[in-house]
Amino acid sequence: RQMCIRDRLSLSEFRGTFKTLAEQSGRSGVYLRADQGVPYGRVVEVLAIMRGAGVGNIGLVAEPEDVAR
């Protein structure tokens, strides 16, 4: 099952929304995808919220780099 949050949320809103969704899903792992426009510090804050919601298995999704050869 896939959960995707595409709405713009404050960190406080995300904290409440994610905790509820994580509890309802019953899964212990999630994947986090962020594009290059997201500041590193914001990604770290989101990771901390996920861990704080009890999700211990968090995978970071990375896209292959386009390298012209």
Side-chain angles (χ1 to χ4, degrees):
R1 191 166 89 149
Q2 194 173 38
M3 169 176 52
C4 183
I5 301 173
R6 293 190 183 267
D7 298 328
R8 290 183 178 254
L9 302 172
S10 69
L11 287 177
S12 177
E13 292 168 325
F14 176 73
R15 183 177 290 109
T17 300
F18 183 79
K19 184 168 179 56
T20 299
L21 290 172
E23 289 170 353
Q24 290 175 351
S25 76
R27 293 188 172 196
S28 62
V30 297
Y31 291 102
L32 173 62
R33 178 189 310 243
D35 66 28
Q36 65 188 20
V38 180
Y40 177 75
R42 180 55 51 106
V43 173
V44 171
E45 289 174 307
V46 169
L47 285 169
I49 289 170
M50 292 174 155
R51 304 268 299 160
V55 177
N57 184 9
I58 303 169
L60 298 177
V61 177
E63 299 292 327
E65 183 178 9
D66 287 333
V67 178
R69 293 183 190 241

